[in-house]
PDB file of all heavy atoms in Angstrom:
ATOM      1  N   LEU A  12     100.039 179.989  67.328  1.00 96.00           N
ATOM      2  CA  LEU A  12     100.677 178.651  67.223  1.00 96.00           C
ATOM      3  C   LEU A  12      99.874 177.831  66.202  1.00 96.00           C
ATOM      4  O   LEU A  12      98.592 177.729  66.310  1.00 96.00           O
ATOM      5  CB  LEU A  12     100.609 177.997  68.605  1.00 96.00           C
ATOM      6  CG  LEU A  12     101.187 178.756  69.700  1.00 96.00           C
ATOM      7  CD1 LEU A  12     100.785 178.175  71.090  1.00 96.00           C
ATOM      8  CD2 LEU A  12     102.746 178.846  69.601  1.00 96.00           C
ATOM      9  N   VAL A  32      99.192 171.771  69.911  1.00 97.00           N
ATOM     10  CA  VAL A  32     100.108 172.860  69.576  1.00 97.00           C
ATOM     11  C   VAL A  32     101.404 172.631  70.263  1.00 97.00           C
ATOM     12  O   VAL A  32     101.437 171.725  71.159  1.00 97.00           O
ATOM     13  CB  VAL A  32      99.556 174.289  69.897  1.00 97.00           C
ATOM     14  CG1 VAL A  32      98.283 174.581  69.165  1.00 97.00           C
ATOM     15  CG2 VAL A  32      99.322 174.415  71.387  1.00 97.00           C
ATOM     16  N   CYS A  34     103.502 174.236  72.859  1.00 97.00           N
ATOM     17  CA  CYS A  34     103.405 175.243  73.844  1.00 97.00           C
ATOM     18  C   CYS A  34     104.796 175.929  74.132  1.00 97.00           C
ATOM     19  O   CYS A  34     105.689 175.237  74.539  1.00 97.00           O
ATOM     20  CB  CYS A  34     102.866 174.595  75.172  1.00 97.00           C
ATOM     21  SG  CYS A  34     102.896 175.869  76.492  1.00 97.00           S
ATOM     22  N   PRO A  35     104.879 177.198  73.966  1.00 95.00           N
ATOM     23  CA  PRO A  35     106.130 177.845  74.142  1.00 95.00           C
ATOM     24  C   PRO A  35     106.609 177.893  75.662  1.00 95.00           C
ATOM     25  O   PRO A  35     107.780 178.061  75.940  1.00 95.00           O
ATOM     26  CB  PRO A  35     105.969 179.321  73.617  1.00 95.00           C
ATOM     27  CG  PRO A  35     104.434 179.524  73.602  1.00 95.00           C
ATOM     28  CD  PRO A  35     103.895 178.160  73.583  1.00 95.00           C
ATOM     29  N   ILE A  36     105.573 177.845  76.546  1.00 95.00           N
ATOM     30  CA  ILE A  36     105.919 177.804  77.988  1.00 95.00           C
ATOM     31  C   ILE A  36     106.474 176.449  78.363  1.00 95.00           C
ATOM     32  O   ILE A  36     107.473 176.342  79.053  1.00 95.00           O
ATOM     33  CB  ILE A  36     104.648 178.103  78.739  1.00 95.00           C
ATOM     34  CG1 ILE A  36     104.075 179.466  78.480  1.00 95.00           C
ATOM     35  CG2 ILE A  36     104.952 178.051  80.270  1.00 95.00           C
ATOM     36  CD1 ILE A  36     104.727 180.563  79.139  1.00 95.00           C
ATOM     37  N   HIS A  45      93.357 171.428  76.433  1.00 97.00           N
ATOM     38  CA  HIS A  45      94.082 171.932  77.446  1.00 97.00           C
ATOM     39  C   HIS A  45      94.252 173.488  77.389  1.00 97.00           C
ATOM     40  O   HIS A  45      94.031 174.264  78.293  1.00 97.00           O
ATOM     41  CB  HIS A  45      95.378 171.282  77.539  1.00 97.00           C
ATOM     42  CG  HIS A  45      96.299 171.754  78.616  1.00 97.00           C
ATOM     43  ND1 HIS A  45      96.233 171.197  79.913  1.00 97.00           N
ATOM     44  CD2 HIS A  45      97.111 172.803  78.778  1.00 97.00           C
ATOM     45  CE1 HIS A  45      97.097 171.878  80.660  1.00 97.00           C
ATOM     46  NE2 HIS A  45      97.688 172.783  79.941  1.00 97.00           N
ATOM     47  N   CYS A  46      94.536 173.911  76.087  1.00 98.00           N
ATOM     48  CA  CYS A  46      94.822 175.403  75.929  1.00 98.00           C
ATOM     49  C   CYS A  46      93.580 176.226  76.065  1.00 98.00           C
ATOM     50  O   CYS A  46      93.773 177.310  76.598  1.00 98.00           O
ATOM     51  CB  CYS A  46      95.349 175.527  74.390  1.00 98.00           C
ATOM     52  SG  CYS A  46      97.120 174.899  74.189  1.00 98.00           S
ATOM     53  N   CYS A  49      93.396 177.157  79.468  1.00 97.00           N
ATOM     54  CA  CYS A  49      94.613 177.776  80.054  1.00 97.00           C
ATOM     55  C   CYS A  49      94.334 179.290  80.194  1.00 97.00           C
ATOM     56  O   CYS A  49      93.755 180.011  79.314  1.00 97.00           O
ATOM     57  CB  CYS A  49      95.771 177.609  79.055  1.00 97.00           C
ATOM     58  SG  CYS A  49      97.297 178.451  79.554  1.00 97.00           S
ATOM     59  N   ARG A  51      96.234 181.685  79.789  1.00 97.00           N
ATOM     60  CA  ARG A  51      96.983 182.486  78.784  1.00 97.00           C
ATOM     61  C   ARG A  51      96.238 182.351  77.376  1.00 97.00           C
ATOM     62  O   ARG A  51      96.716 183.103  76.445  1.00 97.00           O
ATOM     63  CB  ARG A  51      98.383 181.965  78.608  1.00 97.00           C
ATOM     64  CG  ARG A  51      99.103 182.092  79.930  1.00 97.00           C
ATOM     65  CD  ARG A  51     100.655 181.670  79.722  1.00 97.00           C
ATOM     66  NE  ARG A  51     101.402 181.888  80.945  1.00 97.00           N
ATOM     67  CZ  ARG A  51     101.876 183.066  81.286  1.00 97.00           C
ATOM     68  NH1 ARG A  51     101.629 184.095  80.492  1.00 97.00           N
ATOM     69  NH2 ARG A  51     102.556 183.237  82.361  1.00 97.00           N
ATOM     70  N   CYS A  62      97.875 182.835  72.070  1.00 97.00           N
ATOM     71  CA  CYS A  62      97.920 182.928  73.560  1.00 97.00           C
ATOM     72  C   CYS A  62      98.893 184.015  73.919  1.00 97.00           C
ATOM     73  O   CYS A  62      99.787 184.340  73.120  1.00 97.00           O
ATOM     74  CB  CYS A  62      98.163 181.580  74.313  1.00 97.00           C
ATOM     75  SG  CYS A  62      99.754 180.742  73.765  1.00 97.00           S
TER      76      CYS A  62
HETATM   77  S1  SF4 B   1      97.382 178.464  75.773  1.00 81.62           S
HETATM   78 FE1  SF4 B   1      98.628 177.904  77.596  1.00 81.62          FE
HETATM   79  S2  SF4 B   1      98.991 175.725  77.495  1.00 81.62           S
HETATM   80 FE2  SF4 B   1      98.293 176.474  75.398  1.00 81.62          FE
HETATM   81  S3  SF4 B   1     100.183 176.979  74.263  1.00 81.62           S
HETATM   82 FE3  SF4 B   1      99.501 178.806  75.235  1.00 81.62          FE
HETATM   83  S4  SF4 B   1     100.624 178.945  77.274  1.00 81.62           S
HETATM   84 FE4  SF4 B   1     100.755 176.721  76.457  1.00 81.62          FE
END
Side-chain angles (χ1 to χ4, degrees):
L12 308 167
V32 296
C34 172
I36 300 276
H45 176 92
C46 291
C49 174
R51 297 184 177 281
C62 57

